[in-house]
Amino acid sequence: VQVNYAELYIRIGKFREAEKMLLETYAACDSLGFLLEKLDASTALYKLYDTIGDARSALKYHVMMSSLQDSINGDAKQQERSRIEMQEELRKVEEEKLAREEKIKAEMDRQGLIRNTLLGGLGVVVLFSIVLFRQNKKVGRARKRAEQSEKFKQRFLANMSHEIRTP
């Protein structure tokens, strides 16, 4: 705001008042670290000294103005670099997260395949056991029948042999 008042003083020819106000503003901005306001004040001081013909002071504030502009641009470039680096880091983190998720999904799919294979194998073993158990039962019954038939045959033959030998 004071820079605007100082520029008004320059337009109406009150150069000393403008200089005093701009120097105070410049010093305050310098002590507080307000770069943009300090740039405005140095630009106004450059214009003031150029207007009144003080080339040495005009050059001094022009150099300060350029230096401040470079500093502000450097800060902006640094912020842009930082923003780009953060975006790149975020992209890498997202890629790593996706890679981990894909790896976890692949592992879960593999474990599911193993589980299903084991369950299928267990089912085959159970079915085979059932079939084997039934076959053993059938074989056991058939053996029992065969043994009983053998007993009946031996008894029959013994009776027949006894009947044939005894009149």
Side-chain angles (χ1 to χ4, degrees):
V1 174
Q2 288 200 355
V3 172
N4 292 337
Y5 287 134
E7 288 176 350
L8 288 175
Y9 279 142
I10 293 170
R11 285 187 194 152
I12 60 174
K14 293 187 175 183
F15 300 120
R16 292 287 170 222
E17 290 86 353
E19 181 182 25
K20 182 181 175 188
M21 189 177 288
L22 288 171
L23 288 173
E24 287 173 1
T25 301
Y26 184 87
C29 292
D30 189 33
S31 67
L32 295 173
F34 296 155
L35 291 180
L36 291 174
E37 291 78 7
K38 188 176 171 183
L39 174 64
D40 291 341
S42 64
T43 303
L45 281 165
Y46 162 72
K47 289 178 183 175
L48 169 71
Y49 290 127
D50 189 46
T51 302
I52 60 175
D54 186 353
R56 183 170 290 200
S57 296
L59 179 61
K60 173 184 169 186
Y61 284 101
H62 187 271
V63 168
M64 283 186 193
M65 183 178 73
S66 297
S67 174
L68 285 169
Q69 189 65 47
D70 290 345
S71 177
I72 291 169
N73 288 341
D75 287 348
K77 287 178 184 176
Q78 180 61 33
Q79 287 175 347
E80 181 65 17
R81 277 193 296 271
S82 295
R83 186 186 64 76
I84 290 170
E85 288 172 1
M86 287 175 64
Q87 283 179 336
E88 183 63 23
E89 186 65 29
L90 180 63
R91 185 189 60 77
K92 286 180 184 178
V93 167
E94 288 293 324
E95 285 178 356
E96 289 172 1
K97 180 181 173 185
L98 286 174
R100 279 193 310 269
E101 287 174 356
E102 288 176 9
K103 189 176 179 181
I104 289 170
K105 185 182 181 319
E107 181 64 22
M108 289 177 71
D109 289 346
R110 188 183 70 80
Q111 288 177 359
L113 181 62
I114 290 171
R115 181 191 66 233
N116 292 342
T117 302
L118 288 175
L119 288 175
L122 180 63
V124 168
V125 168
V126 167
L127 285 175
F128 183 70
S129 297
I130 291 170
V131 168
L132 189 61
F133 179 72
R134 286 185 179 171
Q135 288 296 329
N136 280 341
K137 263 185 148 178
K138 284 181 182 179
V139 168
R141 277 185 263 155
R143 188 175 356 106
K144 228 180 194 180
R145 267 187 269 141
E147 287 173 355
Q148 195 145 10
S149 292
E150 186 63 32
K151 280 184 188 178
F152 287 142
K153 182 176 103 176
Q154 284 178 1
R155 228 191 255 156
F156 176 74
L157 286 175
N159 282 340
M160 288 308 278
S161 172
H162 177 68
E163 289 295 326
I164 292 175
R165 282 182 285 154
T166 55

